[in-house]
């Protein structure tokens, strides 16, 4: 087996660039901590709004007819039964198959932050967020239907229930990681050639691409 060793100057510059990236990542994290607070505020839904917590005054839908006859409503679910059926991405939304008290099955996008539990979250009665009907041809995405209907067909494919609104915020760690990873990679990509070029000009490292001789300077042959 043939082994190839990385040149000393290359791995040293990579190491130095990585150390610099730790600093830029730390600075980015400090900035993102404040940015996340603004993001969280923008994605926190007020109670009673679409995607927000449903109070006692919000209509409890029992069937598809109830959904279609009310502007807003909520649904009572047996624990997280809706998470154990089917689910899939339709566009940018992840939808679950939610069972209505009537036994009918509909697709819904749910703001998990606004689910309220009575008793055990997994097996008690959960009040889902305030929702509304959004008419949409779900049959336009065959892959979505294959995922959400893996256990049982939907009762209706011409609409879904929006229980998300402007909610759906990601955890702070996930939000931060989106950007800090990019910052770290960009820092390494920028710093590595700069550090190596500086070392080459100081005569510490060999040039990747030897500089062209200045005008008027004679090029000596390797035989001279």
């Amino acid at each position: 087996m043939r082994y190839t060793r990385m040149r000393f100057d290359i791995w040293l510059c990579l190491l130095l660039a990585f150390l610099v990236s730790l600093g830029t990542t730390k600075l980015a994290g400090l900035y993102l901590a404040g940015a996340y607070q603004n993001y969280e505020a923008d994605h926190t839904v007020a109670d009673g709004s679409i995607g927000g917590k449903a109070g006692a005054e919000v209509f409890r839908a029992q069937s598809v007819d109830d959904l279609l006859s009310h502007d807003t409503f909520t649904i009572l679910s047996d624990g997280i039964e809706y998470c154990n059926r089917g689910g899939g991405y339709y566009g940018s939304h992840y939808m679950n198959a939610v069972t209505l008290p009537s036994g009918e099955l509909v697709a819904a996008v749910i703001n998990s932050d606004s689910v309220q539990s009575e008793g055990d979250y997994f097996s008690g009665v959960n009040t889902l967020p305030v929702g509304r009907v959004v008419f949409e041809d779900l049959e336009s995405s065959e892959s979505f239907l294959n995922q959400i209907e893996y256990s049982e067909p939907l009762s209706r494919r011409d609409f879904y229930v929006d229980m998300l609104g402007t909610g759906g915020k990601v955890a702070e760690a996930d939000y931060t990681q989106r950007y800090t990873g990019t910052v770290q990679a960009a820092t390494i990509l920028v710093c590595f050639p700069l550090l190596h070029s500086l070392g080459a000009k100081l005569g510490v490292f060999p040039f990747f691409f030897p500089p062209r001789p200045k005008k008027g300077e004679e090029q000596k042959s390797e035989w001279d």
Side-chain angles (χ1 to χ4, degrees):
M1 183 179 292
R2 183 178 179 181
Y3 294 94
T4 302
R5 293 184 177 181
M6 186 181 294
R7 279 172 28 186
F8 171 80
D9 56 312
I10 294 177
W11 72 254
L12 178 59
C13 288
L14 283 174
L15 176 61
L16 292 174
F18 173 74
L19 293 176
V20 173
S21 74
L22 295 180
T24 57
T25 301
K26 181 68 174 179
L27 291 174
L30 294 175
Y31 169 78
L32 290 170
Y36 182 77
Q37 293 179 355
N38 295 329
Y39 164 84
E40 187 176 33
D42 291 339
H43 289 76
T44 298
V45 185
D47 295 352
S49 300
I50 301 300
K53 293 181 179 179
E57 75 284 355
V58 180
F59 179 74
R60 268 60 178 165
Q62 302 292 312
S63 64
V64 167
D65 286 341
D66 284 345
L67 302 182
L68 297 175
S69 61
H70 289 76
D71 293 331
T72 61
F73 48 79
T74 185
I75 299 171
L76 300 182
S77 172
D78 291 331
I80 55 170
E81 186 263 357
Y82 56 89
C83 292
N84 301 325
R85 280 190 168 276
Y89 278 98
Y90 184 84
S92 60
H93 291 317
Y94 184 84
M95 298 188 190
N96 292 104
V98 176
T99 304
L100 298 168
S102 63
E104 294 168 296
L105 204 65
V106 295
V109 54
I110 300 170
N111 180 12
S112 58
D113 293 333
S114 297
V115 175
Q116 302 171 84
S117 302
E118 296 179 21
D120 185 74
Y121 174 74
F122 298 98
S123 59
V125 177
N126 285 343
T127 303
L128 300 185
V130 178
R132 66 185 179 98
V133 168
V134 177
F135 287 98
E136 184 78 23
D137 180 15
L138 302 181
E139 292 183 343
S140 62
S141 176
E142 184 177 353
S143 61
F144 166 70
L145 288 179
N146 289 337
Q147 294 175 70
I148 199 169
E149 293 188 335
Y150 86 91
S151 65
E152 186 179 345
L154 295 172
S155 300
R156 295 285 292 262
R157 294 178 173 178
D158 60 335
F159 72 81
Y160 69 89
V161 178
D162 177 13
M163 291 184 162
L164 180 66
T166 58
K169 59 180 178 289
V170 301
E172 184 173 4
D174 295 332
Y175 176 86
T176 302
Q177 184 60 38
R178 289 180 184 177
Y179 302 100
T180 54
T182 301
V183 169
Q184 184 171 38
T187 301
I188 292 174
L189 288 174
V190 170
C191 287
F192 171 75
L194 291 177
L195 290 170
H196 195 278
S197 177
L198 177 62
K201 288 180 179 179
L202 294 175
V204 179
F205 305 140
F207 282 100
F208 281 137
F209 304 101
R212 294 180 179 179
K214 296 180 181 179
K215 289 184 178 181
E217 291 184 354
E218 294 184 1
Q219 276 190 304
K220 293 185 178 181
S221 167
E222 61 181 33
W223 302 105
D224 291 344

